[in-house]
Amino acid sequence: MTVPWAAEAPQTQPITGNDDVVRSRQHVRAFAQQCKLSLVDQTKFITAASELARNTLVYGGGGAMRAGLVERHGRRGVAAVFEDSGPGIPDTELALTDGWTSGGGLGLGLSGARRLVDEFFLDTEVDRGTTVTIVKWAR
């Protein structure tokens, strides 16, 4: 997916440790507020981003997040792109099923994040890594 970034370039946040997951959450919170998302939509987007940042660290072995404001057809929103060079996801349909987990989690990370945002794109290949893009549009 080509992200329709607004005039400002997105911010990049490396994700190599737990502190970076917190920083990723702080970055998306600032963009969600700047975009004037409702408090409920801010919470949904921040929660989804937090889950994906954690997945990038735990399952992807680390990576990066790019986040910023987006514009499309006169609408404004906020987007975040999570990228890793980890093992990839061999079965995306299974990975997006509620309750499925490849580790010791609750199995709500990818499927839960997908439900919390307006747009969710997953690009993954075994031994190449995973990219997840999420967008939340202002109402």
Side-chain angles (χ1 to χ4, degrees):
M1 171 200 183
T2 302
V3 180
W5 299 114
E8 289 182 34
Q11 284 187 354
T12 300
Q13 169 64 53
I15 302 174
T16 59
N18 289 325
D19 290 345
D20 296 326
V21 173
V22 173
R23 280 189 277 280
S24 296
R25 193 168 43 242
Q26 292 167 339
H27 284 306
V28 297
R29 175 181 288 118
F31 285 119
Q33 290 170 340
Q34 185 178 349
C35 185
K36 300 192 184 328
L37 293 183
S38 70
L39 186 56
V40 169
D41 283 345
Q42 286 181 41
T43 302
K44 288 178 178 181
F45 190 77
I46 294 162
T47 301
S50 182
E51 288 293 321
L52 295 171
R54 173 83 38 214
N55 282 1
T56 299
L57 178 62
V58 172
Y59 301 110
M65 175 195 77
R66 286 179 292 134
L69 299 179
V70 291
E71 293 179 1
R72 184 188 302 142
H73 306 299
R75 296 178 73 190
R76 287 182 52 85
V78 61
V81 180
F82 298 86
E83 299 173 301
D84 68 59
S85 298
I89 302 170
D91 186 340
T92 57
E93 188 174 326
L94 183 61
L96 287 166
T97 302
D98 285 344
W100 183 84
T101 179
S102 63
L106 298 175
L108 297 175
L110 285 177
S111 63
R114 182 171 63 173
R115 278 194 311 274
L116 292 171
V117 298
D118 297 323
E119 297 180 23
F120 179 96
F121 300 95
L122 174 64
D123 179 27
T124 187
E125 186 177 314
V126 173
D127 295 329
R128 181 188 55 85
T130 300
T131 300
V132 180
T133 303
I134 56 173
V135 180
K136 192 72 170 170
W137 296 104
R139 310 226 181 274

